[in-house]
């Protein structure tokens, strides 16, 4: 393995961790609660057609140098919005919908950030 590829893999550990966790959630969800998992991933699939969300996610992943801020900021925003849903402030949202948005944002941001690392080295 070349040194450049090793450097890309080291820099992109968080990206691979996020993408692997999405895959693990999908697999474990199919065994534990398939109806809920199916609902969340169908919603996420529908959200991909909303291009503004995808463009925002790609922009976050490609242009913010510290990807940890994107990942943990997205998760923090999800937790904050979920708390507000349970307090009854956001009555028009569901936690499942927010989780689908989180999956789409983190997935596309991770891929864009991974591509940015890939392009840095011209591989």
């Amino acid at each position: 393995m070349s040194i450049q590829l090793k450097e890309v893999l080291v820099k992109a550990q968080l990206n691979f961790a996020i993408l692997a966790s999405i895959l693990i959630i999908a697999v474990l969800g199919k065994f534990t609660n398939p109806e809920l998992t199916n609902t969340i991933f169908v919603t996420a699939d529908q959200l991909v057609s909303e291009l503004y969300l995808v463009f925002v996610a790609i922009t976050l992943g490609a242009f913010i140098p510290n990807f940890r801020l994107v990942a943990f900021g997205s998760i923090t925003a999800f937790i904050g919005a979920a708390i507000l849903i349970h307090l009854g402030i956001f009555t028009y949202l569901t936690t499942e919908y927010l989780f689908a948005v989180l999956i789409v944002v983190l997935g596309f941001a991770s891929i864009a950030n991974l591509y940015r690392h890939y392009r840095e080295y011209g591989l």
Side-chain angles (χ1 to χ4, degrees), residues 46-111:
Q46 292 169 350
L47 284 171
V48 170
S49 66
E50 305 215 10
L51 293 178
Y52 64 88
L53 182 62
V54 174
F55 288 149
V56 167
I58 290 172
T59 303
L60 287 172
F63 296 114
I64 295 183
N66 189 356
F67 187 68
R68 287 187 177 120
L69 291 176
V70 174
F72 296 125
S74 299
I75 293 169
T76 303
F78 167 75
I79 291 170
I83 290 170
L84 293 176
I85 287 171
H86 288 292
L87 291 176
I89 296 172
F90 288 151
T91 56
Y92 53 91
L93 286 175
T94 64
T95 308
E96 291 83 10
Y97 183 80
L98 279 179
F99 193 67
V101 170
L102 180 68
I103 287 172
V104 170
V105 168
L106 285 179
F108 277 97
S110 293
I111 292 169

Side-chain angles (χ1 to χ4, degrees), residues 6 21 25 28 44 63:
K6 285 182 183 178
S21 65
I25 288 169
L28 290 178
F63 296 114

Side-chain angles (χ1 to χ4, degrees), residues 6-23:
K6 285 182 183 178
E7 288 180 21
V8 169
L9 293 176
V10 167
K11 280 187 170 183
Q13 285 178 345
L14 182 58
N15 298 321
F16 288 123
I18 288 171
L19 294 172
S21 65
I22 291 171
L23 182 62

Side-chain angles (χ1 to χ4, degrees), residues 2 4 14 33 40 46 71 85 100 122:
S2 73
Q4 290 177 335
L14 182 58
N33 194 347
I40 289 171
Q46 292 169 350
I85 287 171

